[in-house]
Amino acid sequence: MSKIALITGITGQDGSYLTELLLERGYVVHGVVRRTSSLDRSRLKDLYADSETYKNRLFLHYADLDDPTTLRRVIFKAAPDEIYHLAGQSHVGLSFEIPESTCEMTAMGTLRLLEMIRDLPKKPRLFHAASSEIFGKPTDVPQDEKTSLRPVNPYGCAKAFAFQMVAVYRDTFGIFACNGIMYNHESPRRGENFVTRKICRAAAAIKLGIEKELSLGDLSSKRDWGDARDYVVGMFLALQHETPGDYVFATGELNSVEDVVRIAFETVGLDWKQFVKQDPRFMRPAEPQRLIGNPSKAELQLGWKRTRAFTQLIAEMTLSDLENLRPTGA
Ligand code: G4F
């Protein structure tokens, strides 16, 4: 019998790659979709168009983390073996503008899901996508699963709450629940408001003469950037292990926003200094510091490994945007 998975946040970057991975492995996949005014499901469009998959092995349901009845109904109907909880307000900068709804979705939404699982007679396994932002200003460099939580923004606080609740429900109610402490992970499907995609897209647009310049915030800011396709494999592996636990998914390397800019513009043969300017509108009130992850536990216990290097990833993202933006026929 096919295993059944439920994914919250299925239309996002990670949700779409995870859906492909699970379908390839023979799963039936149910996805939770928010009923918003935007009908953007472009990351799933190929699966949508495939009649053998959509409504056969892939099902989408309207439900929301702030509307527990709808979510409970979907869980009851789908009866999943595994739940991958990826949904939430994921933009750190925006969390300073909308802290209450960030906490409502990301913190309380996770708690509500845990409460639903707690009540089920046959409890599905749960993967929760936590974030390196729970470490904020970390005491340890690099960070691992034992590093203290010291978030510096509303998003990090919400994720820290959700992270700890997952551990509490695992220890108290025997739920097979795992936290993935996800460091930044990117791909050609990354949302355009995250810095790597913003840069890669702009480099391509400038090269094609569609745009003239790129405004950014702090160019010296550094992150541990990996490839989203590797990170969804980690999510899957966490739920196949014999015991539940928390795992850091990271590369162990730091690169700066300026490094992303340089590689993206080099990829299209341009000198970035002629096109990039700093704009205070994109500076954040507080930045986390030295967020570098140590993924040894995931590597040793789950056999997780990453397959693409940073330079290769940024070049691939830029070339993908160049292709997407190129006028047809050019
Ligand atoms: O791409 P970012 O917006 O990602 P951020 O804030 O690190 O968050 C991402 O990774 C987290 C995991 O560690 C996730 F939990 C979270 O959901 C999300 O996926 O910004 C990266 C860096 C920051 O230091 C930011 O200040 O880039 C800097 N930056 C500089 N100029 C900019 C810009 N960020 C954005 N979005 N836009 C700019 O113009």
Side-chain angles (χ1 to χ4, degrees), residues 90 131-132 155 184 190 193 195 198 217 221 223 284 287:
S90 62
S131 164
S132 57
Y155 172 86
N184 297 50
R190 188 58 148 146
N193 53 352
V195 80
K198 179 176 171 181
S221 189
R223 287 290 185 281
R284 294 188 183 164
E287 282 280 357

Side-chain angles (χ1 to χ4, degrees), residues 185-206:
H185 47 287
E186 321 295 308
S187 77
R189 294 187 195 167
R190 188 58 148 146
E192 289 174 17
N193 53 352
F194 295 98
V195 80
T196 55
R197 181 75 196 285
K198 179 176 171 181
I199 293 166
C200 296
R201 200 204 145 278
I206 292 168

